[in-house]
Amino acid sequence: MQASTNTNNSKLSPEEMQSFISAINEDAFNQLRSLYYDTALTANANVFSSLQQLVPASHILLGTDYPFAPASEPASALQGINAYSSFSEQDRQDIEGNNALQLFPRLQNLR
């Protein structure tokens, strides 16, 4: 986008500024949508609901923060995933392992 060519130090008009801000916001959201997110210490309905508005289940990975999180975290993460009713059974299977295997194909050999 080019700035207005007025004589007032080439400031953007309010319309141009709004268009510029919208383009930046859309670019930022596109960048966020391209990332992968894990469930470490966040496996609850509030987080999953927000996350599903940003990315598909294929961009969510099981995470535990092992060995830095409490020993109960892996079980807690799985419970949170299973308790969230908006995930399909396929979503759960994907989050619990299939997504990581898609993202890191070399892990297939560890199965």
Side-chain angles (χ1 to χ4, degrees):
M1 157 170 266
Q2 294 182 352
S4 172
T5 56
N6 63 30
T7 58
N8 189 6
N9 294 328
S10 296
K11 291 183 180 178
L12 296 176
S13 70
E15 295 82 17
E16 290 171 322
M17 181 59 77
Q18 185 59 44
S19 177
F20 183 70
I21 291 170
S22 293
I24 289 172
N25 285 342
E26 188 58 33
D27 184 53
F29 276 108
N30 285 337
Q31 291 291 323
L32 291 171
R33 287 182 193 109
S34 73
L35 299 175
Y36 289 78
Y37 299 86
D38 71 43
T39 63
L41 304 174
T42 60
N44 65 68
N46 292 329
V47 171
F48 289 147
S49 176
S50 297
L51 197 51
Q52 278 192 305
Q53 292 179 37
L54 182 64
V55 296
S58 63
H59 279 237
I60 303 172
L61 308 168
L62 176 65
T64 64
D65 274 0
Y66 177 84
F68 304 105
S72 61
E73 177 52 27
S76 178
L78 290 170
Q79 287 172 348
I81 293 166
N82 287 319
Y84 185 60
S85 62
S86 291
F87 286 146
S88 69
E89 186 56 37
Q90 185 63 55
D91 290 339
R92 288 182 183 90
Q93 290 174 12
D94 291 345
I95 292 167
E96 291 174 7
N98 294 337
N99 292 343
L101 294 173
Q102 288 286 357
L103 190 58
F104 305 106
R106 67 176 185 239
L107 294 177
Q108 293 281 349
N109 297 332
L110 299 177
R111 281 190 134 185

